[in-house]
Amino acid sequence: MAGVLSLAEIAADPGLLTWRLRLPAGERGGAAEVILRPLVHGDADGLGDFLAGLSPTTRRLSTFDGYDLPAARELCAAIGRYDKLRLVLEEAPGGRIVGLLEFSLDLTAADIARHARAGIRLDPATDCRFGPTLADDHQANGVGSLVFPLLVEVARRLGRTRIILWGGVLADNARALRFYEKNGFRRVGSFTGPDGTLCLDMLLDPNLGRADTGL
Ligand SMILES: CC(C)(COP(=O)(O)OP(=O)(O)OC[C@H]1O[C@@H](n2cnc3c(N)ncnc32)[C@H](O)[C@@H]1OP(=O)(O)O)[C@@H](O)C(=O)NCCC(=O)NCCS
């Protein structure tokens, strides 16, 4: 396996984690392909459009600090700093951003405590958090599953051996539950989210993911 990449190395050379993929047949957008690549500073406008375009339903399932250009600028300003790696999916041709795939290399005390209650000892050195969001018109057509093996590869290149969900998943988010389970995640436990909703923790051991995804 290639060496572990640092966030600074990725920020300096986003091409290290860039792939081009053919979209599944039947995609509603006009593009034939998507590019998966790290978020870069020049993405603020495109990312702002992506956030602004998310429907209320998607905003409930996947929450951000804001859904506008200032929020996008904040995400771009965090590139290569702190503990986050954000990747985008960009339509090709066209360049429209249609997905935001987020990794955090940091675990919260709450994550660690919840998993400990379920008998799982998280390791901040080798575990990471992950959260996906696709544009509404790209959901439920296999795009998430198309890119997921590459996201497992991203986690590996970051030196991570397990992936947990960033803030869990709402228990009523049936599509995401199906998406995670078909891509090798298992349910770990449940908890009550900040607004009183039932959420589930799920975990993927990428070695299991390797078998499931054929990577
Ligand atoms: C979650 C998400 C990333 C998954 O990506 P995706 O491209 O939509 O997922 P896929 O199409 O690859 O897989 C979805 C699976 O759920 C199934 N599915 C779709 N709608 C469903 C529903 N309402 N109930 C149950 N299963 C459903 C699909 O049939 C598919 O399973 P299959 O391949 O066995 O048929 C994407 O839907 C998304 O961004 N959703 C909004 C934000 C969100 O929920 N993020 C996760 C927060 S934890």
Side-chain angles (χ1 to χ4, degrees):
M1 182 181 109
V4 172
L5 291 174
S6 70
L7 297 182
E9 285 173 312
I10 296 165
D13 184 1
L16 291 167
L17 296 178
T18 296
W19 295 271
R20 200 175 178 104
L21 296 148
R22 177 153 288 278
L23 283 169
E27 263 292 310
R28 289 177 290 272
E33 296 182 327
V34 279
I35 296 166
L36 175 66
R37 60 165 178 79
L39 181 71
V40 297
H41 289 285
D43 282 329
D45 286 344
L47 186 62
D49 289 345
F50 166 77
L51 291 171
L54 294 175
S55 68
T57 301
T58 297
R59 292 181 190 196
R60 178 181 164 269
L61 302 175
S62 189
T63 53
F64 294 93
D65 289 343
Y67 298 87
D68 51 15
L69 183 56
R73 286 200 178 117
E74 292 231 343
L75 296 178
C76 290
I79 292 169
R81 306 165 70 196
Y82 317 118
D83 59 294
K84 313 287 193 306
L85 174 65
R86 295 187 169 90
L87 298 106
V88 293
L89 265 186
E90 175 191 310
E91 285 183 341
R96 176 186 160 223
I97 291 179
V98 294
L100 179 60
L101 299 313
E102 302 186 282
F103 287 94
S104 166
L105 301 184
D106 200 19
L107 305 177
T108 68
D111 290 329
I112 293 170
R114 285 198 316 272
H115 285 75
R117 281 198 292 278
I120 294 168
R121 191 189 175 111
L122 291 182
D123 182 344
T126 51
D127 293 328
C128 63
R129 294 185 288 161
F130 167 69
T133 309
L134 301 181
D136 285 71
D137 61 344
H138 280 270
Q139 293 172 17
N141 197 35
V143 177
S145 297
L146 176 75
V147 298
F148 192 74
L150 295 171
L151 298 170
V152 172
E153 177 64 14
V154 168
R156 277 197 204 107
R157 297 293 309 275
L158 291 167
R160 305 291 147 152
T161 56
R162 288 189 303 193
I163 302 173
I164 65 168
L165 299 185
W166 192 326
V169 53
L170 289 176
D172 64 9
N173 190 351
R175 182 189 305 141
L177 283 171
R178 169 73 193 134
F179 164 75
Y180 290 128
E181 286 183 331
K182 78 184 253 204
N183 284 293
F185 282 81
R186 64 185 166 90
R187 299 182 193 206
V188 166
S190 61
F191 65 100
T192 305
D195 54 356
T197 46
L198 184 65
C199 299
L200 303 177
D201 279 311
M202 300 182 79
L203 179 144
L204 172 71
D205 172 345
N207 294 320
L208 296 175
R210 180 180 286 264
D212 289 344
T213 58
L215 265 181

